[in-house]
Amino acid sequence: RATVAATATGSGSNSDPAVLSGTRQGHIVYGNRSVFVTDDGSTYDKIGIADANENLYGVDSDADDDVWICGGGGRIFQYDGTEFVPVDVGDTTLRDIEVGSGGGGLTVGGGGAVFERTDAVWTQLSTPTGKNLKAVARGSPDVAVGASGALIER
């Protein structure tokens, strides 16, 4: 375990999302297929993803055993504290993901793609845009934003 700056945790050129699940605790992904965990905000341990074969872009972490990662090629990875379990939802590059403690969630990506998770199944939703979506927030309403000022809600 080494003390490193957040921007130096991976060897890739991307400085992708980080999310905290507690005070100075959380996860960060790098586009070079690396996921790191920290429990102090200063040191980071690499926890995967072996054989992802996709760049990683979005992360949602509610606890050490409740981590969701999305990336290129329509792949979503769920980490249970021991292993990453992949799910393929299509060919779309996914840029952001948010999954609640009850297991319901949303992920967004290229071409206006939005996928919703209910009852442990990801289903693509119809959207009014073809713009690349880059971020999602669940709430009342759910909101996604993207390229060229795209903003959709439900």
Side-chain angles (χ1 to χ4, degrees):
R1 184 172 227 192
T3 301
V4 293
T7 56
T9 56
S11 60
S13 60
N14 293 336
S15 212
D16 287 326
V19 65
L20 298 178
S21 58
T23 304
R24 302 183 64 84
Q25 300 170 331
H27 297 82
I28 185 169
V29 296
Y30 271 79
N32 68 356
R33 304 180 190 125
S34 298
V35 180
F36 296 86
V37 63
T38 183
D39 59 8
D40 62 11
S42 297
T43 56
Y44 296 83
D45 292 322
K46 186 175 180 178
I47 60 171
I49 297 173
D51 303 319
N53 296 323
E54 301 293 345
N55 285 333
L56 307 175
Y57 299 108
V59 60
D60 183 36
S61 170
D62 294 324
D64 286 344
D65 61 353
D66 186 18
V67 182
W68 296 83
I69 310 289
C70 66
R75 295 196 80 193
I76 297 169
F77 298 88
Q78 180 183 9
Y79 184 66
D80 63 7
T82 304
E83 67 179 333
F84 285 94
V85 177
V87 174
D88 293 316
V89 296
D91 294 332
T92 299
T93 294
L94 301 172
R95 293 290 180 167
D96 194 23
I97 189 166
E98 189 173 329
V99 179
S101 59
L106 293 169
T107 186
V108 298
V114 175
F115 293 86
E116 181 176 35
R117 185 176 194 265
T118 55
D119 299 324
V121 176
W122 289 97
T123 305
Q124 187 165 9
L125 304 178
S126 176
T127 68
T129 186
K131 303 287 185 188
N132 293 335
L133 298 175
K134 299 185 179 213
V136 64
R138 292 179 63 222
S140 185
D142 297 326
V143 177
V145 296
S148 303
L151 184 143
I152 60 174
E153 64 180 45
R154 69 167 187 154

